[in-house]
Amino acid sequence: MRRPLSRAVLAAFLLAPAAALLGGCGPGAAAQPDAGTAAAPELKWEELIPKSWDPTKRYRNISLEALRDNDPRAIQMLDEMRAVWDNAPVNVDLDGKPGKLAGFVVPLDNTQEGIREFLLVPYFGACIHTPPPPANQIVHVVAASVVKGLHAMDTVYVSGTVKAARYSSADMGVSGYEIKSATVERFVPKQPQ
């Protein structure tokens, strides 16, 4: 009996970026900007992806349901997909520009004093509960100072100068952007009126 390639694995690689791009689903959809973050223009996650990049075009004509998890072709395809995602191109128009982005925290350091370095990701569970998103959907953040009371998957605004720069975390994924000396503020949902 053939066991088809796990739907969860396929969804994580092919559908997770769609979750980040759906309007109204992320923390940036209904937020009240803080006065301190108003100076930098707010970015949407889809702006970080070059318009010409389509990581799925190579796999459109492949019958994935015919592959089993332990099929060498499936394993090779997943390795290739991971390489494509880790090397995802960035939007060079954003390089060196100020920006503000709302997202979820994936801590890289966590001390009693707080968190200073983390990855910012577009959807809950990215890099922790699911495979990492493409590099152009991960921002390496180094805060200007330690942020107290910040935890994994908290939602925040990050403001600063966006740089196109690769950072590879052995456990959490590869980022395509960085914001150093970042201002980090709690995400505050917009109150109904």
Side-chain angles (χ1 to χ4, degrees):
M1 180 154 118
R2 287 179 11 173
R3 205 173 94 200
L5 189 62
S6 169
R7 289 179 194 250
V9 171
L10 291 175
F13 275 106
L14 298 175
L15 301 177
L21 299 177
L22 293 174
C25 294
Q32 182 64 40
D34 190 293
T37 61
E42 187 163 355
L43 299 172
K44 292 182 170 68
W45 283 96
E46 60 265 22
E47 293 176 74
L48 278 63
I49 302 171
K51 292 186 188 316
S52 62
W53 187 63
D54 181 2
T56 63
K57 68 181 173 187
R58 181 175 180 198
Y59 306 105
R60 289 194 185 130
N61 296 324
I62 297 173
S63 178
L64 298 174
E65 62 276 351
L67 299 175
R68 294 175 294 163
D69 284 349
N70 61 351
D71 186 322
R73 294 174 299 163
I75 294 167
Q76 179 183 355
M77 189 180 340
L78 288 173
D79 289 344
E80 288 173 6
M81 285 181 193
R82 183 74 262 155
V84 166
W85 282 33
D86 287 349
N87 293 295
V90 297
N91 181 350
V92 294
D93 292 339
L94 297 176
D95 191 32
K97 304 262 172 78
K100 175 177 70 173
L101 195 60
F104 296 89
V105 172
V106 177
L108 295 173
D109 70 349
N110 198 355
T111 66
Q112 285 185 305
E113 291 79 35
I115 295 174
R116 183 158 190 239
E117 188 175 1
F118 59 92
L119 299 178
L120 189 70
V121 295
Y123 53 89
F124 186 86
C127 301
I128 294 176
H129 300 299
T130 64
N136 57 23
Q137 292 291 280
I138 302 176
V139 179
H140 176 226
V141 177
V142 180
S145 59
V146 173
V147 183
K148 296 179 187 280
L150 196 59
H151 303 287
M153 291 296 125
D154 280 352
T155 51
V156 295
Y157 276 116
V158 173
S159 300
T161 302
V162 177
K163 298 293 283 174
R166 298 276 167 183
Y167 172 83
S168 182
S169 166
D171 300 331
M172 301 299 178
V174 177
S175 63
Y177 296 96
E178 74 176 8
I179 300 177
K180 289 189 174 178
S181 299
T183 301
V184 180
E185 299 177 77
R186 297 276 181 191
F187 174 82
V188 180
K190 188 183 275 186
Q191 299 298 318
Q193 296 183 16

